[in-house]
Amino acid sequence: IYICIYSFNPRLPPGGDNDRSSSRCVCVSLQGLVLGVFEKEGEEGSLHLTEAAAGFDQTLSGKLSELLKISGPAIKKGKSRIFYGLHEDFPCVAVVGLGKNSVGVCGAENWDTSKENIRQAVSAGCRSLQDLEVNHVEVDGCGDAQSAAEGAVLGLFQYDQLKSKKKTKVTAQLHGSADPGWEKGVLYAEGQNLARMLMEAPANHITPTAFANTIEEKLAPHAERVTVNKRSQAWIEEQQMGAFVSVSKGSEEPPVFLELHYNGSPDSKQAPLVLVGKGITFDSGGISLKPSSSMDAMRADMGGAATVCASIVTAAALKLPVNIIGLAPLCENMPSGKATKPGDVVTAKNGKTIQVDNTDAEGRLILADALCYGHVFNPRAIVNVATLTGAMDVALGSAATGVFTNSDWLWEQLHKASVVTGDRVWRMPLFQHYTRQVTDSQLADLNNIGKYSRSGGACTAAAFLREFVTAHHWAHLDIAGVMSNKDEIPYLRKGMSGRPTRTLVEFAAGLLFHT
Ligand code: BES
Ligand code: ZN
Ligand code: ZN
């Protein structure tokens, strides 16, 4: 609460009337308000206010609706317009366009349009206030406080830790009476922002060790229900994870196998959900070196590990009553005199031999061992998440995560969750057709790339992973296409996306009803 008797204006030089020390303030900050308006059904160009906006309008005796009428054309969906000096508590009010009120789940788009519209509009409003250096915003719940919170917290995120000049830090709070949806939305979005932070951070900052330490710190407040194991290189070798070792060998950075146990279920024996994330903190391609253009993006090749670990941090913060185990094989993929060479044969944890014909197809190698290990916990389901193939990006782009699964039940759970979050998934095939590509190796049981053709590369990679799975409910999520955002998702700024963290959390939360 900001009680201000004399107000200090941070933009004017201090002293005289503008003196923070003589102001009897608990804290002084610029406050903003974000309010929503819907397009009126059937009436082109006219608007109707949300409940919160109408309440605000009433306290101003209709001033807001009057200004909306004279300030130009009706505010379009996802756009915002700022009004100054309307209210003494809120010097800046951003009114945002929510589109039509009557929309809901859209079968063609596979998402809830109302929720997406709210996320989009609220983020636009919050950002325009951030540009005005407003420090604190109150946000209209717009009838769905969770989506509003997600729009605010995702929209305001900016990775500028490493810049001297930073964007204004803005805190957001729900306008009006409390709603548990708001807190839930904040936690969902903060989870995604954690994944964004890890993915965006440069590879010399987020090494395998630094990644594991960051997650350990984030889980420290939940120590009662969480254990963190940072397994060393010696442990990895003992486990006979020959495929994982073969990828990490070329780097000076030691690999880490991060193992998280979240025990949220009152039934400690409840079979866990096992989440496995690809954790390549930098993918140079190894001896099969990548071209240098855009290679910097491969600092986000740990997006699988980032989204999986962030979703476990979020599950712990939400105290979800489920048991989840998170596994993240973390290492760099580098060329060196010690690196694995094309044609080398390595042995995975389950004894299968793999001819490594392309060292740039490293994700499937580290996942192979992690998937074998995941079965040790007798899971109810295994879901792995990986920035696995450029081919996935070619196939679906950033519209949806590709899901390859042997389980209709698991597909339905993931799909249902993604409709709610708007962070979509799309089912991809696991045909024997692709298995043939990886099981015909000259020297070994398997080959790490498709033998006959590069076509269908995302499917070939999935077929390879399947060779390490015996569980009946397994899904592989290829997130290469959704790894980064240019301007496709309006409520995420340009940069690494942290997708599909919210979908993983929603999916885990949905498992409550299937115990
Ligand atoms: N990390 C890459 C895949 C990737 C590409 C992720 C672009 C995000 C954006 C992966 O390790 C890789 O290099 N895959 C190869 C496999 C190929 C050698 C069979 C690819 O997709 O080209
Ligand atoms: Zn690679
Ligand atoms: Zn990779």
Side-chain angles (χ1 to χ4, degrees), residues 278 283 290 298 301 358 360 362 387-390 449 480:
K278 170 178 171 182
D283 183 9
K290 286 181 181 293
M298 287 298 110
D301 207 21
N358 191 319
D360 196 14
E362 84 298 341
T387 48
L388 205 63
T389 63
I449 53 170

Side-chain angles (χ1 to χ4, degrees), residues 124 139 159 243 299:
V139 177
Y159 183 80
R299 67 182 185 279

Side-chain angles (χ1 to χ4, degrees), residues 87 173 199 279 453:
H87 192 285
Q173 140 191 0
M199 290 169 76
S453 129

Side-chain angles (χ1 to χ4, degrees), residues 295-422:
M295 203 202 267
D296 69 289
M298 287 298 110
R299 67 182 185 279
D301 207 21
M302 27 58 82
T307 53
V308 158
C309 295
S311 70
I312 292 177
V313 171
T314 310
L318 288 162
K319 299 197 164 57
L320 294 185
V322 285
N323 293 337
I324 312 176
I325 293 177
L327 304 175
L330 298 155
C331 71
E332 289 184 341
N333 184 25
M334 297 294 279
S336 86
K338 290 192 180 135
T340 294
K341 303 166 286 297
D344 283 2
V345 174
V346 301
T347 308
K349 186 171 166 56
N350 66 352
K352 288 198 183 182
T353 55
I354 308 162
Q355 182 174 339
V356 181
D357 272 352
N358 191 319
T359 64
D360 196 14
E362 84 298 341
R364 61 198 77 180
L365 296 174
I366 70 169
L367 288 172
D369 281 333
L371 284 168
C372 293
Y373 183 63
H375 285 77
V376 169
F377 303 102
N378 203 12
R380 62 204 289 211
I382 306 187
V383 176
N384 73 260
V385 186
T387 48
L388 205 63
T389 63
M392 189 68 239
D393 185 37
V394 173
L396 301 186
S398 57
T401 292
V403 177
F404 300 81
T405 180
N406 58 2
S407 161
D408 292 343
W409 169 76
L410 196 47
W411 160 249
E412 272 160 33
Q413 298 305 308
L414 287 162
H415 181 251
K416 193 176 65 175
S418 84
V419 171
V420 176
T421 61

Side-chain angles (χ1 to χ4, degrees), residues 9 83 122 137 155 158 163 193 220 248 325 333 344 351 398 416 453 505:
N9 185 338
F83 297 97
V122 167
V137 290
Q158 173 86 13
K163 294 192 184 207
N193 286 350
S248 69
I325 293 177
N333 184 25
D344 283 2
S398 57
K416 193 176 65 175
S453 129
V505 176

Side-chain angles (χ1 to χ4, degrees), residues 40-367:
K40 230 181 211 164
E41 213 67 46
E43 283 179 52
E44 192 68 21
S46 54
L47 298 169
H48 86 100
L49 307 182
T50 61
E51 214 181 293
F56 185 79
D57 190 40
Q58 221 166 37
T59 63
L60 298 174
S61 324
K63 184 93 180 145
L64 178 66
S65 36
E66 198 183 300
L67 283 176
L68 278 168
K69 275 194 201 114
I70 61 172
S71 63
I75 300 170
K76 296 243 158 34
K77 183 172 70 119
K79 298 280 182 240
S80 98
R81 186 173 300 161
I82 298 186
F83 297 97
Y84 301 93
L86 260 182
H87 192 285
E88 50 176 14
D89 293 345
F90 306 105
C92 315
V93 177
V95 179
V96 298
L98 296 167
K100 293 200 172 67
N101 194 7
S102 57
V103 292
V105 173
C106 173
E109 289 298 328
N110 262 268
W111 67 24
D112 186 319
T113 309
S114 313
K115 290 183 189 297
E116 274 300 284
N117 287 354
I118 294 170
R119 292 183 191 105
Q120 199 175 324
V122 167
S123 85
C126 288
R127 269 189 219 160
S128 56
L129 294 173
Q130 186 178 40
D131 290 343
L132 296 171
E133 299 181 11
V134 166
N135 317 88
H136 182 76
V137 290
E138 287 199 9
V139 177
D140 179 352
C142 303
D144 183 341
Q146 181 176 349
S147 302
E150 289 174 359
V153 176
L154 292 171
L156 288 166
F157 174 86
Q158 173 86 13
Y159 183 80
D160 55 13
Q161 266 109 309
L162 306 175
K163 294 192 184 207
S164 320
K165 195 166 179 297
K166 301 181 200 313
K167 272 210 178 289
T168 308
K169 286 273 162 293
V170 187
T171 51
Q173 140 191 0
L174 180 64
H175 181 69
S177 46
D179 182 327
W182 176 268
E183 311 304 332
K184 196 173 155 199
V186 168
L187 290 176
Y188 271 54
E190 283 179 348
Q192 184 167 350
N193 286 350
L194 169 60
R196 289 164 94 182
M197 188 274 283
L198 290 165
M199 290 169 76
E200 196 70 82
N204 63 333
H205 287 221
I206 294 291
T207 59
T209 308
F211 181 106
N213 290 342
T214 307
I215 294 300
E216 189 179 34
E217 267 166 40
K218 296 281 177 196
L219 286 169
H222 313 293
E224 218 171 275
R225 294 156 182 249
V226 178
T227 52
V228 176
N229 283 308
K230 296 183 286 183
R231 311 290 196 184
S232 67
Q233 174 144 16
W235 182 91
I236 296 162
E237 281 164 10
E238 249 165 56
Q239 287 290 319
Q240 302 188 301
M241 296 184 167
F244 180 25
V245 169
S246 80
V247 176
S248 69
K249 262 171 57 176
S251 171
E252 296 290 325
E253 285 293 337
V256 176
F257 190 95
L258 184 62
E259 181 176 332
L260 313 173
H261 290 241
Y262 167 62
N263 304 306
S265 170
D267 171 12
S268 62
K269 291 205 176 58
Q270 184 200 62
L273 163 67
V274 169
L275 300 177
V276 182
K278 170 178 171 182
I280 297 291
T281 59
F282 189 72
D283 183 9
S284 70
I287 297 297
S288 314
L289 195 64
K290 286 181 181 293
S292 57
S293 81
S294 304
M295 203 202 267
D296 69 289
M298 287 298 110
R299 67 182 185 279
D301 207 21
M302 27 58 82
T307 53
V308 158
C309 295
S311 70
I312 292 177
V313 171
T314 310
L318 288 162
K319 299 197 164 57
L320 294 185
V322 285
N323 293 337
I324 312 176
I325 293 177
L327 304 175
L330 298 155
C331 71
E332 289 184 341
N333 184 25
M334 297 294 279
S336 86
K338 290 192 180 135
T340 294
K341 303 166 286 297
D344 283 2
V345 174
V346 301
T347 308
K349 186 171 166 56
N350 66 352
K352 288 198 183 182
T353 55
I354 308 162
Q355 182 174 339
V356 181
D357 272 352
N358 191 319
T359 64
D360 196 14
E362 84 298 341
R364 61 198 77 180
L365 296 174
I366 70 169
L367 288 172

